Every structure is written in structure tokens, then in C-alpha cells.
Amino acid sequence: MAVAHTSKIEFIVGLDENKVPETLSWTAEEGKIVSEEAKALMISVWDPKSKETLRVDLWTKDMPIDEMKQFFHQTLVSMANTFERATNDEKMSATMRDFCDYFSEKLELKK
């Protein structure tokens, strides 16, 4: 099957003199997102040649710890949902969600 369309997602990282992220923004024009501010990002890419995950994890200096905990929790929940859609493995997805509940409880994220 030939590629019929392409889409571009762009991240811009503003660094301080020590190359520590000060600003993050992203653009996904197809999604009507143009230069939107972000405080953290996690990108995972599967390398089929080496059969391993390549990662980029960045956050700005002013990302609050409480928001980082919330970001991690929401990312874990999202991963459980994506895992179920990708593998149709309901049992492991439920186990992952149980861990997400435990994670949330231990960090006192649920109100």
C-alpha cells in the first residue's frame, strides 16, 4: 500500500545556557494545534531494526511536581488503554489499570 498522505508533528524546545529545557511548544497543524505551550513530553519510538524503544522525556524547569505526578498517572492510564486497543489483551490491560489506581492512591491524586 502506497502512502497517500503525510502528517507532521513538531516540537520546539527552548534551552537555557546549560541546555536545560525552559520552554516546550508543539505544532500539529492537521489537528489545528499551532505552537501550543507544553510543560512536559514523553515520546516513544519503536526501532524495528534493533527491536527496542527509543525515548525522549523532557520537562521544563518550572513543571510543578504535583503536575508531573498527574502527568505520569494520566500517561500510565493512556498506555493501558492503548495497550488494550493494540493487543486486545483485556486481562493485562485491567492489571495495568489496577496499577494505575494503586499509583494514584499512593500519590494521593484522587480527590
Side-chain angles (χ1 to χ4, degrees):
M1 182 183 307
V3 174
H5 181 74
T6 61
S7 182
K8 179 177 161 184
I9 300 171
E10 180 178 54
F11 297 93
I12 304 294
V13 182
L15 305 172
D16 69 9
E17 63 279 351
N18 297 312
K19 298 190 177 180
V20 175
E22 279 207 18
T23 61
L24 293 171
S25 65
W26 68 296
T27 297
E29 290 179 4
E30 193 167 300
K32 297 182 177 35
I33 297 165
V34 179
S35 200
E36 286 290 326
E37 177 188 11
K39 291 290 181 188
L41 64 88
M42 292 184 200
I43 304 169
S44 298
V45 178
W46 180 250
D47 182 338
K49 292 177 196 146
S50 64
K51 301 279 191 244
E52 64 182 352
T53 302
L54 308 176
R55 301 189 41 81
V56 175
D57 301 321
L58 296 173
W59 57 93
T60 60
K61 291 191 239 183
D62 63 344
M63 174 72 169
I65 296 293
D66 61 327
E67 289 182 22
M68 182 61 89
K69 291 176 181 179
Q70 196 173 6
F71 176 58
F72 264 83
H73 177 256
Q74 291 177 12
T75 299
L76 291 169
V77 170
S78 177
M79 289 174 67
N81 295 338
T82 301
F83 183 80
E84 184 171 6
R85 282 195 323 273
T87 66
N88 209 26
D89 188 334
E90 295 174 10
K91 186 175 178 182
M92 185 51 71
S93 300
T95 300
M96 292 171 72
R97 287 187 194 95
D98 287 344
F99 172 75
C100 292
D101 290 341
Y102 172 80
F103 186 90
S104 175
E105 178 184 318
K106 290 299 176 185
L107 291 178
E108 300 177 348
L109 296 178
K110 292 190 177 179
K111 295 175 172 105

